[in-house]
Each structure stands twice: as C-alpha cells, then as structure tokens.
C-alpha cells in the first residue's frame, strides 16, 4: 500500500512543481500534454484508491457540485480599502503626512501596480488551502472556496522552500483575467450566444461569483498576492520581506514592485507604470504605495476603513480615437431612450471597445456628434466606455447628424421628451423592451435576487407571452416552463424554487425592485424606515413624501406618479397576493458605518430625544457613553452644554452639533473633523 501512497505523492509533487514553474517562475518545465497525462494518471489512482484523495490534490481544481448560494465569511482581520491620490500634489501630501507622522526621519515605501481585479482572501491551515472569500464589504465576504480552488496559480498546498509553514496563514490578493484571455473568453461567450463582459474586471468578477465552480474552472483566472492577514508562527519586519516570502510558499507576486525613498522616486514609478500600462497583459488602474516597515505601519495606524500608511495613486483614464459607425436608440426599463454609439472596434489599453454610451440628445448636441464622426473614446475603470469629444477636423462632409427617433424602434410607439428632463421616453408601458428591462431589474441581485432568472430566460418568457409584468413571475407553473426551449425538469424546478425563496424579502428590496424611477436601494431603505408597510407608502401624499429627509421633490413626484397608475397598483396587489412577505430588514454590515465608534451626547437636544439619538447610533453599530474620554470618538453638543463639551475640546475630539449629527446619520457619511 505504501507504494501506492508514494506514487500518488510523487505525482502530486510533480504536478505542483510543474504549476510552480509555470505560474510563479514563468519557466515551464513540461508540455501541456505531459501535464495532462500526469494529472490523468493521478486521477486514475485516486479513483482506484479514494482513501488517498485529499482536498489539496491538483485534481481538485476542476470544480465540484454547484452551490445554491454562497455562505458568508467574516474576515478575521478586515480587508481594508485604500485612499486615492488623484495627482502629484496628493502623492506629495501623502509623503509629507508619513514624514510628519513618524518619529523617525527615515522610511521606505514599497510601490506596487494596482491590479484592476477582485480582492480575495486565501486561508491556509498548516499549509493546506482550507477556505477563501471575496472582500465583500471588508468585514464579511462570500465564501468562494470552491471557485478559488480552480485557479491554478493559487497553491492548494504551501511549499516549504526554505521557509516555515505558519499554522494559520491568510494571504490577500487580486484575482484578474489577462487582456488576451479576456478577448478569447468574450469570443467564446459570443459563440455560445451568451452575453459578453464589458471588461476584464467584470469577467473576473462574474467568473469568481459562479455558483457552479465547474464553470469557474473553465475561466482563465489568475492571481497576484500583495497583503497579509493573520499569520501565526512567522513574523515579518517589512512588507518587502513578506512579499519575498510569498513565492517561496508558492504565491504569485507582481514582478514590477520597487522601493521608493523620495516623492520624486514615487512620481518616477507612477510615470513609468503609466507609460507601460498598455503593454502589460493585465489591467492596472494605478499604483499603490505602502510604508515598508511593519512597525512604522502599526505606528501610523488606520482611519475607519483605510490605512494611514498606504495610498493608491490613480492613473488618468485611457483614451483612443475611432469612428462612429452607427447610433442605436436603446430602450431601458423605464422607457428611457439611451443612444449607443457603435464604433469601429478600437483597442484601448489592450481591450477592444466597440460600443460607447452617448447618454442623451443634449449630450449629443453639446458634443456635436454625428454618425461617421471620428471621436475620442475613454475607458475609465469599471465604467462603460464614453465618447469624450468629436474631432470635427476629420469630417469629410458625409457625416450625418443624429436625432433620437420619435418612434420606439421596438414597439413603434411614440417617443417623447419630457421637458423637465434630458431623457426621451417610449410612451408605451407595454413596450416589450420596457417589460423585459423591468423584469430583469426586479430579479436582479440587489432587488428580489431571483437566482437563475437571467436576461435570456426573461426574454424567452416575455417573447412567448408567458409573462407581461413582474407579478406574473409568481404565477408561473412548472408545466408551462417545461414547454420552453431548452428548459429541463431540473431547471424548471430550480426556477420555481428560486421564485419561492425570493418571496421572503425585505420591504426595501421590494420597493427598489418595483423600478420606480429615481428609487434605488438606498432610497428603498429610507422609505422602508419611514413607512414600514407598502400600503402606507402607496397612500402617502406628495407632501408627506417630500418631508422625509433624503426625499426631494423629484423623488416624491416619481413615487406619487408610480402609485397613481392603476396598472402599477394592480401589479403590487398581485405581488402581495402571491405571498410576498417582509422580514424586518436587518442593517447590513455595509450600512453599519459607525461600527465600533463611541458617542457622547451632552446638552439639550431639540429635534430628537436622547433615546432616539441613542437608537440611531446603535442601529449603525456604535454605542453611547455618559462621560467623555480619550476613547470617545464623537461628542454631540446640544443646547447649554457644559463641562463635557469643554473636556471634549481639550482632548481635541470630534465635536459636532445636533444638526451635523443628524446629517451624518442621514447621509451615512462619517464626519472626520479631526485630521
Ligand atoms: S493593498 C491596506 N495592494 O485595491 C492594504 N491593494 O482600493 C489594502 N488592489 O481592495 C490593499 N492592487 O482590491 C493592495 N498591490 C495592491 C493592490 C490592491 C489592487 C486593490 C484591492 C483593494 C483596492 C483598494
């Protein structure tokens, strides 16, 4: 038996070594065919001797049983975000802050490319990859272990190459897709009749968030590691030492990392990376500077969600010149018409762009854009490419001015521009484009989160006349679904199950799912907090709505218009009759923006009671104390405040008025009066 065990071990080592050579050292030692043969041999052994199959085996990268939902993981140490420096001045300010903040004269900064992908955390226990998660809100993320296991450049077992193995190790990094692989992936998506991804980052995000890890396994995901969470048993005195340890354990680290000692060196690094940006095979959207010494990092400490010892220097948006071939009027879920420019495909920063949004007619007029024009196109991070300006000097006289048509290209109904807004709208609320858009919106992740109801299925259901509005979804029968093209027993049942699961929701989700113009998730929550029931919201007058903090006249009118429409009221009633119920919406961690903070209230509050104030801060994760100390984060001063206010001033704490406090709560933005 030992012979078999040894053989299996040898095969694993050979495969792991081949992976390491390929992904970490960029120096392949065997061909793809040889690699596949080794893998197949190992698979055979593991099939025959299943007791030797372990979770860290390289055969486990093919993906496993699909999940219904991702579970959530609370990070042992939060994954921080970074402050941005938008220009040289802000980089110099950062340098000056560090210099001023440290007792020592000398310090070093490590400069790294800022990879434009998705942050993840990988957890290893005694050298074995046990779990991994997305960054999420920094506090909790989604458990995507199955998916991360499929990424070949992530070690499933740490190497002990002249380095100790920590009993617990958490490594953070960025999962990304190479530009070339991204284009190939989009070609494959097109061939399969699936939607293409807007950019490599979206493709990486979509691939990592697949519930079926077998799909993830087919996506060309990669990783660069750059930061440490918990590490038990091994300590580092500098960030650079940690970066040097990573490849020894088997993690890929970006090769373009440098040390800077002066603001000039930081600028040089920034300029150098910006100049080679297009030539890199992966998207970067800036550079990151981190204080090298870990003890200095600790000394400088953190702000609420970002470290004082690091900063991201952002790059300028990437631009190219190309020609507008056609302009198409695309109809959204509210009937809004968005002109989309179809472009002569152009590579911007290594990614092919063939469409760009033109927003509305005013924008087209202001930029004087014609069909046939040569234009400057810009790609900035996650955003859909934009047309920056036309180049009139390149006109030949054959260009055609564009006006949004006065008939909807989908249903031929009238398209009218509301005088008060810049948008044209298709007036037919039964327009198939609007129906499809509103159902897709309803089913989306941030709304009713109906798993498995994607664009294709929505189109099919509407085109077949099976549904005409969002409420119809809940009256679909499995037998009806089975009549659809390419719909099997299992998929039909899954959809029915997802629909049933989605019925238990929160009021704010349903409010945002209805697609009332100008109402998103945040306002959904504001309205839920205020009304607590859909009936009350439906009956609210314009004045009542307008009185709510955060609800302006446009929003109030929009809600009023929506519920004055008999058709919409009927849809809502039908939804409720289908059995939609509300759980009191829990405040998500994302919304606990005051997490861990301490408040002291002093003096008389005039617009709210002390108790209300206490409830407000507790709701968002903070607590109140009765006396002021160095540990107090905020002191709210009412009328006739006395000694506590005085003490707060002496301690240089964050002091705010009642009005400022209420504004902070309503805007969910932390005031930092103290710098
Ligand atoms: S360090 C405190 N290093 O940028 C350290 N982040 O805007 C926080 N990112 O969430 C992260 N490349 O997703 C770090 N070399 C790099 C990075 C990097 C990309 C991302 C990461 C983070 C975001 C912050």
């Amino acid at each position: 038996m030992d012979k078999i065990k040894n053989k299996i071990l040898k095969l694993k080592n050979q495969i792991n070594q081949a992976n390491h050579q390929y992904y970490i050292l960029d120096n392949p030692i065997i061909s793809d065919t040889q690699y596949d043969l080794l893998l197949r041999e190992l698979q055979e052994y593991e099939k025959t001797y299943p007791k030797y199959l372990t979770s860290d085996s390289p055969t486990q990268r093919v993906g496993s049983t699909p999940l219904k939902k991702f579970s959530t993981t609370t990070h042992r140490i939060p994954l921080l975000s970074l402050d941005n420096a938008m220009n040289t001045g802000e980089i110099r300010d950062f340098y000056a802050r560090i210099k001023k903040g440290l007792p020592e004269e000398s310090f070093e900064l490590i400069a790294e490319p800022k990879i434009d992908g998705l942050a993840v955390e990988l957890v290893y226990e005694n050298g074995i990859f046990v779990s991994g998660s997305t960054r999420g809100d920094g506090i909790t993320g989604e458990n995507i272990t199955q998916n991360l296991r499929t990424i070949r450049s992530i070690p499933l077992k740490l190497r002990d190459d002249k380095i100790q193995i920590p009993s617990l190790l958490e490594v953070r990094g960025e999962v990304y897709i190479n530009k070339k692989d991204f284009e190939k992936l989009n070609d494959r998506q097109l061939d399969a009749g699936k939607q293409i991804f807007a950019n490599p980052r979206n493709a990486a995000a979509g691939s990592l968030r697949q519930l079926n890890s077998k799909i993830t396994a087919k996506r060309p995901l990669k990783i660069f590691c750059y930061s440490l969470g918990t590490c038990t048993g091994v300590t580092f005195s500098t960030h650079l030492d940690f970066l040097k340890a990573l490849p020894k354990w088997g993690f890929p680290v970006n090769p373009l990392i440098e040390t800077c000692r002066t603001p000039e060196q930081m600028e040089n690094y920034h300029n150098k990376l910006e100049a080679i940006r297009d030539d890199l095979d992966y998207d970067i959207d800036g550079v990151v500077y981190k204080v090298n010494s870990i003890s200095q990092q600790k000394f400088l400490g953190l702000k609420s969600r970002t470290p004082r010892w690091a900063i991201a220097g952002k790059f300028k948006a990437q631009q190219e010149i190309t020609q507008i071939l056609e302009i198409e009027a695309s109809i959204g879920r509210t009937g809004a018409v968005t002109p989309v420019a179809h472009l002569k495909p152009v590579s911007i920063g290594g990614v092919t762009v063939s469409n760009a949004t033109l927003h509305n007619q005013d924008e087209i007029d202001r930029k004087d854009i014609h069909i046939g024009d040569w234009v400057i196109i810009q790609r900035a991070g996650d955003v859909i490419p934009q047309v920056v300006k036309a180049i009139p000097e390149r006109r030949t006289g054959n260009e055609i001015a564009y006006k949004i048509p006065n008939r909807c290209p989908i249903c031929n109904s009238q398209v009218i521009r509301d005088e008060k807004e810049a948008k044209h709208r298709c007036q037919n609320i039964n327009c198939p484009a609007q129906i499809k858009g509103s159902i897709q919106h309803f089913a989306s992740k941030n709304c009713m989160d109906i798993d498995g109801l994607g664009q294709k299925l929505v189109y099919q259901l509407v085109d077949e006349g099976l549904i005409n509005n969002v409420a119809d979804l809940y009256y679909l029968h499995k037998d009806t679904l089975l009549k659809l093209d390419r719909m099997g027993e299992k998929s039909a049942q899954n959809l029915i199950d997802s629909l049933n699961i989605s019925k238990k929701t929160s009021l704010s989700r349903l409010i945002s799912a209805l697609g009332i113009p100008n109402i998103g998730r945040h306002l959904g929550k504001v309205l839920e907090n205020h009304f607590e029931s859909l009936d009350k919201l439906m009956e609210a007058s314009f004045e009542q709505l307008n009185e709510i903090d955060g609800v302006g006249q446009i929003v109030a009118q929009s809600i009023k218009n929506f519920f004055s429409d008999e058709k919409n009221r009927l849809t809502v009633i039908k939804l409720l009759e289908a059995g939609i119920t509300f759980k009191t919406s829990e405040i998500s961690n994302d919304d606990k923006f005051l997490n861990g903070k301490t408040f002291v209230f002093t003096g008389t509050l005039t617009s709210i009671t002390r108790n209300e104030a206490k409830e407000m801060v507790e709701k968002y994760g903070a607590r109140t104390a009765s006396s002021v100390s160095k540990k107090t984060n905020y002191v709210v001063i009412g009328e006739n405040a006395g000694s506590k206010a005085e003490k707060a001033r002496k301690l240089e704490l964050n002091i705010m008025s009642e009005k400022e406090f209420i504004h902070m709560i309503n805007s969910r933005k932390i005031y930092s009066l103290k710098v």
Side-chain angles (χ1 to χ4, degrees), residues 45 58 71 104 120 166 199 212 278 356 366 420 470 574 586:
Y45 272 106
S71 58
E104 304 88 19
V120 298
N199 52 45
N212 183 352
D278 288 2
R366 192 171 59 77
K420 277 181 254 138
V470 295
K574 216 170 137 188
E586 69 297 4

Side-chain angles (χ1 to χ4, degrees), residues 22 33 119 163 177 242 317-318 386 421 433 561 611 663 668:
Y22 186 91
T33 323
I163 188 163
I177 288 185
F242 162 67
Q318 290 168 299
Q386 313 237 338
E421 49 170 18
N561 290 349
N611 237 344
H663 183 259
R668 316 267 197 281

Side-chain angles (χ1 to χ4, degrees), residues 78-84 111-120 135 172-175 201 224-228 239 243 254 257 283-290 297 302 305-312 314:
L79 268 72
L80 299 170
S81 153
L82 292 168
D83 281 345
N84 290 327
E112 306 173 8
K114 187 167 184 295
I115 314 297
D116 197 7
L118 250 99
V120 298
R135 176 177 181 277
R172 284 94 186 260
E174 200 84 353
V175 170
R201 187 184 183 282
F224 279 129
C225 295
Y226 50 65
S227 141
L228 182 64
H239 177 57
L243 291 178
N254 187 278
I257 292 170
D283 266 342
I284 60 175
D285 58 347
V287 293
V288 183
Y289 303 100
K290 302 172 185 171
Q297 286 186 1
L302 314 174
R305 280 168 168 258
T306 56
R308 286 203 179 82
W309 46 264
I311 199 151
K314 291 291 228 179

Side-chain angles (χ1 to χ4, degrees), residues 253-302:
V253 174
N254 187 278
L256 303 170
I257 292 170
E258 285 180 22
T259 307
C260 298
R261 289 181 183 83
T262 61
E264 291 72 33
Q265 288 175 351
M266 293 166 80
E267 276 161 45
N268 286 343
Y269 182 81
H270 185 107
N271 294 338
K272 187 172 94 181
L273 255 74
E274 195 155 24
I276 60 164
R277 179 183 190 185
D278 288 2
D279 305 324
L280 294 176
D281 199 16
Y282 43 87
D283 266 342
I284 60 175
D285 58 347
V287 293
V288 183
Y289 303 100
K290 302 172 185 171
V291 169
N292 190 19
S293 148
I294 306 288
S295 58
Q296 288 181 335
Q297 286 186 1
K298 287 202 175 121
F299 187 85
L300 290 162
L302 314 174

Side-chain angles (χ1 to χ4, degrees), residues 5 17 21 186 194 326 354 365 499 501 504 533 648 669:
K5 201 173 163 188
Q17 183 58 30
Q21 292 281 144
N186 262 353
K194 295 194 181 129
E326 192 52 78
S354 22
D365 296 346
L499 281 162
I501 292 169
K504 202 166 171 50
S533 91
K669 279 205 187 85

